[in-house]
Amino acid sequence: MNAITSLLSLFLAAVAVGQIQPSGVTRPIAQDCGFNGTVVCVNKYGAVLPYHFNRSISNNNADYDYRNTSVRNASTFDLLGGADFVVFDQQRGMQYLGSNPSYEFMFAVSKAVHEAPVYAPEQNLLFISQLAPPPGYLPQLVVNLNDDPPTLSEYLPNPPVYAPNGGTFRDGVIVFGASGGNDSIGGGEQRVSLRTVDPATNRSTVLLNNYFGFYFNTIDDVAVHPISKDIFFTDPQYSWFNALTDTAPQLPCASYRFNPSTGATFLVEDTLEQPNGIAFSPDGTTLYISDTGAVTGTIDPRLGSQGTTFNTTGKRTIYAWDVSNNGTRISNKRAFYLAQDWVPDGLKVSQEGLVLTGSGHGVDVLDDAGQLLIRIQTNYTVQNFAWTGENLTTLWLMGNNGISKVEWNITGQKLT
Ligand SMILES: *[C@@H]1O[C@H](CO)[C@@H](O)[C@H](O)[C@H]1NC(C)=O
Ligand SMILES: *[C@@H]1O[C@H](CO)[C@@H](O)[C@H](O)[C@H]1NC(C)=O
Ligand SMILES: *[C@@H]1O[C@H](CO)[C@@H](O)[C@H](O)[C@H]1NC(C)=O
Ligand SMILES: *[C@@H]1O[C@H](CO)[C@@H](O)[C@H](O)[C@H]1NC(C)=O
Ligand SMILES: *[C@@H]1O[C@H](CO)[C@@H](O)[C@H](O)[C@H]1NC(C)=O
Ligand SMILES: *[C@@H]1O[C@H](CO)[C@@H](O)[C@H](O)[C@H]1NC(C)=O
Ligand SMILES: *[C@@H]1O[C@H](CO)[C@@H](O)[C@H](O)[C@H]1NC(C)=O
Ligand SMILES: *[C@@H]1O[C@H](CO)[C@@H](O)[C@H](O)[C@H]1NC(C)=O
Ligand SMILES: *[C@@H]1O[C@H](CO)[C@@H](O)[C@H](O)[C@H]1NC(C)=O
Ligand SMILES: *[C@@H]1O[C@H](CO)[C@@H](O)[C@H](O)[C@H]1NC(C)=O
Ligand SMILES: *[C@@H]1O[C@H](CO)[C@@H](O)[C@H](O)[C@H]1NC(C)=O
């Protein structure tokens, strides 16, 4: 065959499958990176995919993860379907997975949102909340890690804390963002608030329940600055959309800093549509907050709670800020990461400075420049996650219908 006929036959072959293929496809697109196919590496981020490819848009009933992208003439892409970990940066990703990474589905739970995981190291207990839907009073959950295998049971502190949506530790007690409110919860009135629970006694107290008389909307996620020890929290409007509060929002979506010793609350941020996950780098110099405005609802007190819808072109971005003045001032807002699946819900920073976010059917692991290194793939939507264990190298993930755990070489920050 001369050059012209061989080009012609290539062209005809391409036409035969309906496409002229782009140059620059790195093959294999994906490959087994060991551990019996549970770790799959995507070469060069699949930056050029062969035609025809198409990723369906997720909705409230189906999550089309990256692995669900249909890619013609790329059989290796199918390897992603069976993987627990997808590695995008092979050198750093494999190092962070360590010598024996594992993923284990631990507990099937209700389809309610599961959130606010807090690990109490002294008791070796992991507290997890359950939120509507379905609406109604739900006790919280606790995973007892002293049992082998770990056991799951219901948990109610005294008095009960309604609808924790985020949690962390401060001065030896748990700080929960309690995201719901009405006047008949557990025998009395509770409003959206910052609450504490002492894991040694299970006693709860209220730190903050209003902004100059107004109810907060949702207090969603909380983070304590390592130097000022002030409590930063996000206040989106999901509790109204999801019927966890009886009162329509009285405040705009915003994020705040609270100083428990003076009682003063400071507005820190009011540009995000639905501020959600919040976390500090270990040295406290960078603040991250996710905007999950792509999942939103309507505020009309006459209509009541209408649930939420997802719009793929809405906000699903993590932003970063510089933190100064010993953790009292933030500046230099910048876009950090656009979630590659669903919305970036829970947000935490590892001891190594890696930024993790629960987004759709998995958890994305990013470096401090926002480069995706690893994705944990799950078969349920992950809302949040927390590190447990003596060395904080076990990561428990939780969300709608599932609780699972990962063992790897990424370490949590000590929170107590
Ligand atoms: C399909 O991929 C193979 C390599 O795996 C390549 O040789 C072939 O040309 C591709 N076909 C098309 C139409 O691109
Ligand atoms: C890989 O899978 C095979 C078959 O399921 C099993 O026998 C083997 O122990 C597995 N190896 C590892 C390293 O998990
Ligand atoms: C992508 O897939 C979806 C779902 O199958 C389909 O509705 C849509 O038309 C496809 N789009 C393209 C450009 O192939
Ligand atoms: C996405 O792919 C996974 C693994 O192959 C599969 O279990 C799941 O059903 C797919 N999701 C959708 C919405 O098709
Ligand atoms: C675990 O990660 C550290 C860096 O955080 C690295 O020095 C070490 O080599 C890694 N361990 C393995 C087994 O890859
Ligand atoms: C208040 O919330 C609790 C917990 O969800 C629920 O059982 C109760 O019916 C609610 N009361 C009102 C008046 O909405
Ligand atoms: C607090 O709750 C935990 C989890 O249910 C339980 O193991 C522990 O005994 C309780 N502590 C007290 C002092 O009641
Ligand atoms: C999504 O948002 C865009 C504007 O960002 C709007 O034009 C579009 O109609 C919305 N789609 C749905 C399904 O609501
Ligand atoms: C930070 O706090 C330290 C110790 O309290 C103090 O010496 C320093 O002046 C503070 N720095 C700023 C910028 O506020
Ligand atoms: C996820 O997978 C586990 C087994 O690995 C299974 O028990 C569970 O039912 C699955 N959950 C969903 C929501 O598909
Ligand atoms: C924690 O790390 C130490 C030091 O590397 C090790 O001896 C110990 O076994 C680890 N603990 C667990 C539970 O892995």
Side-chain angles (χ1 to χ4, degrees):
M1 263 192 312
N2 64 32
I4 289 174
T5 52
S6 73
L7 269 178
L8 185 67
S9 64
L10 265 182
F11 175 75
L12 290 174
V15 168
V17 301
Q19 284 295 345
I20 295 179
Q21 289 302 327
S23 58
V25 176
T26 300
R27 288 189 188 269
I29 291 170
Q31 69 191 71
D32 185 349
C33 262
F35 310 103
N36 263 358
T38 60
V39 179
V40 169
C41 296
V42 172
N43 288 313
K44 266 196 118 177
Y45 286 76
V48 185
L49 291 176
Y51 298 123
H52 176 60
F53 64 87
N54 176 22
R55 177 167 170 181
S56 297
I57 291 165
S58 296
N59 55 55
N60 279 338
N61 302 314
D63 184 286
Y64 294 98
D65 199 346
Y66 178 60
R67 75 191 120 170
N68 299 112
T69 308
S70 78
V71 187
R72 199 173 290 163
N73 196 38
S75 56
T76 59
F77 202 83
D78 296 343
L79 292 172
L80 267 62
D84 295 325
F85 303 97
V86 179
V87 170
F88 290 90
D89 180 301
Q90 210 160 319
Q91 199 238 317
R92 288 181 292 167
M94 294 311 286
Q95 174 194 310
Y96 285 128
L97 286 181
S99 53
N100 196 18
S102 70
Y103 172 87
E104 199 178 343
F105 187 87
M106 299 299 290
F107 303 111
V109 289
S110 78
K111 73 170 202 279
V113 163
H114 289 81
E115 263 281 16
V118 185
Y119 175 58
E122 266 181 49
Q123 291 75 21
N124 202 24
L125 298 174
L126 173 66
F127 299 97
I128 297 173
S129 73
Q130 314 184 83
L131 306 178
Y137 189 74
L138 292 166
Q140 309 313 322
L141 299 174
V142 62
V143 178
N144 189 335
L145 298 165
N146 303 298
D147 294 338
D148 186 17
T151 52
L152 181 70
S153 50
E154 294 189 336
Y155 177 71
L156 276 182
N158 176 24
V161 176
Y162 182 50
N165 206 317
T168 188
F169 249 101
R170 183 181 186 277
D171 281 350
V173 296
I174 295 166
V175 177
F176 278 126
S179 67
N182 72 36
D183 55 16
S184 55
I185 296 171
E189 181 166 4
Q190 290 195 29
R191 295 294 162 187
V192 175
S193 48
L194 287 177
R195 309 275 300 261
T196 65
V197 172
D198 183 343
T201 62
N202 298 318
R203 297 284 306 176
S204 72
T205 63
V206 181
L207 290 181
L208 174 71
N209 67 3
N210 73 94
Y211 187 75
F212 298 99
F214 292 118
Y215 302 150
F216 286 104
N217 302 320
T218 297
I219 301 188
D220 193 300
D221 236 332
V222 293
V224 172
H225 188 271
I227 296 166
S228 67
K229 299 287 179 190
D230 284 358
I231 302 168
F232 286 64
F233 61 93
T234 55
D235 192 41
Q237 294 163 334
Y238 292 115
S239 290
W240 172 251
F241 305 148
N242 293 328
L244 287 165
T245 174
D246 63 4
T247 308
Q250 302 179 331
L251 296 168
C253 286
S255 300
Y256 301 87
R257 171 171 68 88
F258 174 62
N259 179 335
S261 53
T262 62
T265 302
F266 305 79
L267 176 71
V268 293
E269 210 297 311
D270 70 351
T271 67
L272 305 192
E273 286 177 18
Q274 295 292 333
N276 195 324
I278 184 166
F280 288 102
S281 60
D283 63 3
T285 60
T286 306
L287 171 68
Y288 300 94
I289 305 179
S290 64
D291 186 348
T292 55
V295 171
T296 191
T298 54
I299 301 170
D300 182 340
R302 290 164 308 170
L303 293 177
S305 299
Q306 299 285 305
T308 56
T309 55
F310 174 73
N311 188 332
T312 188
T313 60
K315 287 292 180 197
R316 38 205 191 87
T317 297
I318 299 173
Y319 293 88
W321 288 260
D322 296 334
V323 184
S324 56
N325 282 50
N326 287 338
T328 58
R329 188 174 298 165
I330 69 169
S331 59
N332 191 20
K333 176 189 178 189
R334 52 204 183 267
F336 175 75
Y337 179 64
L338 173 63
Q340 56 89 12
D341 190 34
W342 196 240
V343 290
D345 194 332
L347 180 61
K348 302 226 159 102
V349 184
S350 80
Q351 191 54 43
E352 299 86 2
L354 301 170
V355 179
L356 281 72
T357 186
S359 73
H361 281 198
V363 171
D364 286 345
V365 180
L366 314 157
D367 72 6
D368 63 3
Q371 183 173 350
L372 179 60
L373 306 181
I374 302 169
R375 176 169 174 84
I376 306 168
Q377 299 195 121
T378 61
N379 63 349
Y380 63 95
T381 298
V382 176
Q383 271 99 41
N384 218 328
F385 46 85
W387 281 272
T388 67
E390 188 190 348
N391 300 324
L392 299 175
T393 52
T394 304
L395 190 77
W396 284 76
L397 340 175
M398 60 287 307
N400 312 100
N401 298 303
I403 299 176
S404 52
K405 87 178 159 121
V406 159
E407 305 283 353
W408 59 1
N409 189 27
I410 296 176
T411 312
Q413 293 187 45
K414 272 210 174 63
L415 299 175
T416 48

